[in-house]
């Protein structure tokens, strides 16, 4: 079992994989990325991730240097070569290596890398430990729908959260509107309805968020894709965050204030169970 990287067509051990220090991803954060969960040696919702990768690349005026079919094949090869059953694929595209300049270089060839690392299997629902969140100002730019490698505001907030003993910082804009987490989307049950910020430029439209919204609709759970503010968050019966690596993760307290429901609350628990079923249907059963 091995961490394997792929750099523009060549496989290497991850520890030996290198790109130029003049790569614009490294110097300028001029790139986009994806993180895809692997369950039972199969990538989960790969097509949706690749569609978002395409949209992110297009938004920063980059063309994918490889056809989507080739990327899909490479993902399978990486998983196979690694020998990992549970893990994630990281995928990054930058504007390539060139003399440092804010202007886009004429001659740079984009750099595309992918690698695979191992993760623990998804825990049983009863073993998921509800965690704390803290609220922090959202200091990011106005193109949060692009999954860019420019993550400094996210990192600073995540670090603060961790130092406060919280798993995630729940971010809010100046007017008090809650947007998302530093690396996750945020859902809250307010007045009996599930709410989450709509997929605008202020959030990354998470693939997990999309799966959870599908489940909410399949189960006819009352739902509003409508922003909520800090005051409303204070009244929430349940809160959870979603992401590729955290799945559906219940939050038990925000800014040290415990939520009203036992955690995970009834709706969150239902979604966690249904999410496990989606994993089973897509990656465990012999359906594909
Ligand atoms: N983060 N919002 C932000 C800012 C994110 O960085 C992420 C994902 C999400 C959830 O998206 P998805 O459900 O597609 O994973 C929302 C990844 C996992 C990361 O940066 O590691």
């Amino acid at each position: 079992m091995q961490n394997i990287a792929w750099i523009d067509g060549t496989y290497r051990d991850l520890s030996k994989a290198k790109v130029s220090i003049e790569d614009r991803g490294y110097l300028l954060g001029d790139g986009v990325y994806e993180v895809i969960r692997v369950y039972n040696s199969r990538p989960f919702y790969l097509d949706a991730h690749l569609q978002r990768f395409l949209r992110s690349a297009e938004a920063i005026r980059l063309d994918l240097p490889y056809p989507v079919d080739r990327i899909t094949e490479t993902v399978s090869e990486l998983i196979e070569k690694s020998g990992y059953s549970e893990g994630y694929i990281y995928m990054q595209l930058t504007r390539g290596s060139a003399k440092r300049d804010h202007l886009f270089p004429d001659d740079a060839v984009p750099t595309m890398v992918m690698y695979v690392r191992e993760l623990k299997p998804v825990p049983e629902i009863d073993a998921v430990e509800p965690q704390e969140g803290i609220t922090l100002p959202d200091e990011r730019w106005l193109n949060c729908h692009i999954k860019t490698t420019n993550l400094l505001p996210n990192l600073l907030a995540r670090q603060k959260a961790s130092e406060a003993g919280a798993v995630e910082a729940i971010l809010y804009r100046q007017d008090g509107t809650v947007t998302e987490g530093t690396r996750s989307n945020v859902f809250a049950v307010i007045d009996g309805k599930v709410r989450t910020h709509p997929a605008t430029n202020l959030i990354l439209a998470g693939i997990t968020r999309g799966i959870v919204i599908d489940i909410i609709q399949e189960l006819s759970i009352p739902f509003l894709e409508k922003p909520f503010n800090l005051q409303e968050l204070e009244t929430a019966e349940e809160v959870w965050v979603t992401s590729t690596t955290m799945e559906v993760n219940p939050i038990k307290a925000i800014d040290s204030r415990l939520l009203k429901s036992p955690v995970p609350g009834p709706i969150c628990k239902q979604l966690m169970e249904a999410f496990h079923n989606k994993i089973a249907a897509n990656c465990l059963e012999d359906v594909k």
Side-chain angles (χ1 to χ4, degrees):
M1 306 241 265
Q2 201 186 355
N3 299 327
I4 303 275
W6 176 96
I7 307 184
D8 284 312
T10 311
Y11 290 98
R12 294 232 190 297
D13 184 273
L14 179 59
S15 62
K16 300 200 175 72
K18 305 267 185 280
V19 295
S20 161
I21 62 167
E22 281 198 310
D23 192 276
R24 291 174 63 91
Y26 177 66
L27 290 182
L28 303 161
D30 189 3
V32 293
Y33 77 105
E34 275 300 324
V35 180
I36 301 131
R37 185 67 163 84
V38 174
Y39 299 107
N40 190 35
S41 304
R42 297 187 201 173
F44 187 57
Y45 280 79
L46 178 60
D47 292 348
H49 281 279
L50 290 178
Q51 288 309 315
R52 186 174 64 186
F53 194 49
L54 265 167
R55 289 198 301 275
S56 296
E58 197 183 351
I60 68 160
R61 294 163 61 183
L62 271 179
D63 290 327
L64 289 198
Y66 301 93
V68 166
D69 285 356
R70 169 95 193 271
I71 300 173
T72 304
E73 251 171 59
T74 308
V75 166
S76 299
E77 283 174 16
L78 273 170
I79 298 169
E80 202 186 315
K81 283 178 194 290
S82 73
Y84 296 144
S85 164
E86 301 294 315
Y88 69 91
I89 299 278
Y90 180 84
M91 188 179 287
Q92 179 174 300
L93 176 68
T94 71
R95 212 173 304 276
S97 174
K99 190 162 144 263
R100 186 179 179 281
D101 193 333
H102 286 57
L103 286 175
F104 295 171
D106 290 330
D107 50 348
V109 179
T111 309
M112 172 119 176
V113 303
M114 290 186 240
Y115 65 78
V116 58
R117 269 190 179 271
E118 194 170 29
L119 282 177
K120 293 201 185 95
V122 55
E124 293 299 324
I125 289 165
D126 293 339
V128 174
E129 280 216 16
Q131 313 248 14
E132 300 207 17
I134 63 166
T135 54
L136 286 176
D138 191 341
E139 295 178 343
R140 300 173 303 162
W141 66 336
L142 296 176
N143 287 306
C144 297
H145 60 295
I146 307 173
K147 199 160 171 60
T148 150
T149 53
N150 279 278
L151 289 170
L152 204 45
N154 307 54
L155 309 187
L156 291 170
R158 169 84 205 286
Q159 187 63 29
K160 262 196 193 163
S162 175
E163 287 166 5
V167 71
E168 181 60 304
I170 296 173
L171 305 174
Y172 58 89
R173 289 281 175 183
Q174 260 177 355
D175 65 355
T177 301
V178 172
T179 50
E180 61 177 338
T182 65
R183 56 184 176 128
S184 65
N185 294 112
V186 180
F187 289 75
V189 180
I190 298 166
D191 286 334
K193 290 193 186 75
V194 179
R195 300 261 294 270
T196 197
H197 196 287
T200 66
N201 61 313
L202 295 183
I203 68 158
L204 181 78
I207 304 304
T208 323
R209 172 187 179 278
I211 300 168
V212 167
I213 292 176
D214 286 348
I215 296 172
I216 287 171
Q217 281 161 351
E218 283 160 24
L219 296 177
S220 306
I221 295 170
F223 173 62
L224 281 178
E225 199 173 356
K226 180 181 166 197
F228 51 89
N229 60 29
L230 285 175
Q231 283 78 39
E232 289 173 296
L233 182 66
E234 271 186 33
T235 70
E237 292 116 57
E238 302 182 37
V239 175
W240 60 87
V241 295
T242 63
S243 87
T244 294
T245 47
M246 292 195 283
E247 285 108 10
V248 180
N249 212 297
I251 297 292
K252 66 175 179 192
I254 296 175
D255 297 331
S256 304
R257 203 174 19 78
L258 286 175
L259 293 172
K260 289 180 193 161
S261 282
V263 181
I267 297 180
C268 182
K269 196 158 180 189
Q270 229 183 327
L271 298 176
M272 290 167 86
E273 280 161 4
F275 194 81
H276 278 217
N277 294 340
K278 291 270 181 207
I279 296 173
N282 284 275
C283 297
L284 306 188
E285 291 161 14
D286 280 331
V287 283
K288 287 181 187 160

